[in-house]
Amino acid sequence: MKKIFLTIATAALAASISFGQDLAEAFQVAQEANEAWTSKNYTQALAGFQKAISIVEACEEQGGEQGKELIGQCKNAIPSIAKSIGIEKVNAGDFTAAIEAFNNAKALADKYGADDVAAEIEGIIETVNESAQKAKGKQLFEDAEALYQEGKLDEALDAFKIARENGFEEAAKRIITICVKKANNLYTEGKFTDAVDAAKEVFLNPDASEQIKTAATGIIAGCCQKQVAANKLTDAGKYFNVLSELDSDNAKLGQLAYAIGATYFKGKNTAQAKTWLTKALKDPKVAANAKQILGLIK
């Protein structure tokens, strides 16, 4: 690129003699654009080279050979300059503007036949898109974390889910933590169905540890026990089934089944009592008692 601009002053003089002031202006604009490029003022450089091209193209016969050479060299410079604008945006952390700039650079490279630059820009765009996605996910995570620290669990949970959907995998751990905390709070407030639903969300995340899962199933079991004590056996049965589906080997299942069955028996609902007490026979801790009650059912 430097070749043209080392000779641009003499070329401009020759142009002014041969083709008039317009072509001389084009060379001067190109000279100023080159200086802007050297100073890394890429936006000014790009605009200057494009202006130089438009001036020459408006000249009669495009300024002869000198004008055509200037157009060719400006076109060679433009794609690389446009690419540099995109790189500046990346370095500034403005990925949205960077993608826009790189797309513009790719279009210019295609327009002027700079296939090598176009191929390079395609690779850059892919990389920048990935970086932009990560940056977006990180920002979403930070916003969600602020909500969590403020104790806004519902809003934080939704925000962490959005962060995870945008590729920020660390959000998954926070989602698990919030689900357990939310479930525990709801349990304390006596909102058992909501508590069970919150606890269930833990199992939707493959990264949930066994310790966290145990905490979640403990809350579900607690909800079941509370409903048995309140003689709300339909809800207790629903929670039991949720627990059974999530953790079929849970040590509390037999005792819960016995509690539900025994309570049904006290209420003289022998059909339901038989169903639940039969489930309890699998647990040696309550099997004998369950068998004894079953013996009383005709």
Side-chain angles (χ1 to χ4, degrees), residues 158-188:
D158 290 339
F160 279 121
K161 287 179 179 179
I162 293 173
R164 182 181 60 184
E165 289 168 3
N166 280 272
F168 203 81
E169 293 301 325
E170 290 183 32
K173 296 179 181 179
R174 272 287 187 253
I175 290 171
I176 297 169
T177 300
I178 291 175
C179 285
V180 172
K181 189 170 185 177
K182 181 180 175 182
N184 190 62
N185 289 349
L186 291 166
Y187 170 78
T188 302

Side-chain angles (χ1 to χ4, degrees), residues 3-204:
K3 178 180 177 182
I4 177 177
F5 300 111
L6 291 173
T7 60
I8 201 166
T10 55
L13 177 61
S16 66
I17 295 172
S18 303
F19 297 99
Q21 188 62 36
D22 286 345
L23 189 57
E25 180 187 359
F27 276 97
Q28 180 60 38
V29 170
Q31 175 66 40
E32 292 172 356
N34 184 60
E35 292 172 358
W37 188 10
T38 302
S39 301
K40 298 184 178 181
N41 190 339
Y42 301 118
T43 300
Q44 182 179 336
L46 179 62
F49 284 127
Q50 290 176 319
K51 181 179 179 181
I53 290 173
S54 64
I55 293 172
V56 175
E57 289 178 340
C59 291
E60 185 179 353
E61 297 181 0
Q62 294 192 356
E65 290 302 318
Q66 290 174 324
K68 291 178 182 179
E69 182 180 358
L70 178 61
I71 286 177
Q73 293 180 344
C74 286
K75 288 181 177 180
N76 286 339
I78 283 173
S80 294
I81 295 171
K83 181 187 71 175
S84 296
I85 293 174
I87 292 172
E88 275 190 329
K89 302 297 183 184
V90 170
N91 292 337
D94 190 345
F95 295 107
T96 300
I99 293 297
E100 183 179 348
F102 282 125
N103 284 332
N104 180 58
K106 173 66 166 54
L108 290 170
D110 290 337
K111 179 180 179 180
Y112 296 140
D115 295 338
D116 54 339
V117 178
E120 181 184 359
I121 291 171
E122 282 184 355
I124 293 173
I125 289 174
E126 184 176 348
T127 300
V128 173
N129 273 324
E130 292 175 359
S131 298
Q133 188 70 13
K134 290 179 181 178
K136 181 180 179 181
K138 182 180 180 182
Q139 184 59 56
L140 288 168
F141 179 86
E142 291 175 353
D143 292 343
E145 182 67 15
L147 291 169
Y148 176 67
Q149 295 301 330
E150 292 174 12
K152 299 177 180 178
L153 297 186
D154 288 334
E155 294 176 52
L157 182 59
D158 290 339
F160 279 121
K161 287 179 179 179
I162 293 173
R164 182 181 60 184
E165 289 168 3
N166 280 272
F168 203 81
E169 293 301 325
E170 290 183 32
K173 296 179 181 179
R174 272 287 187 253
I175 290 171
I176 297 169
T177 300
I178 291 175
C179 285
V180 172
K181 189 170 185 177
K182 181 180 175 182
N184 190 62
N185 289 349
L186 291 166
Y187 170 78
T188 302
E189 294 169 8
K191 299 176 181 178
F192 301 123
T193 297
D194 292 337
V196 170
D197 288 341
K200 282 168 58 178
E201 285 204 54
V202 171
F203 290 82
L204 298 178

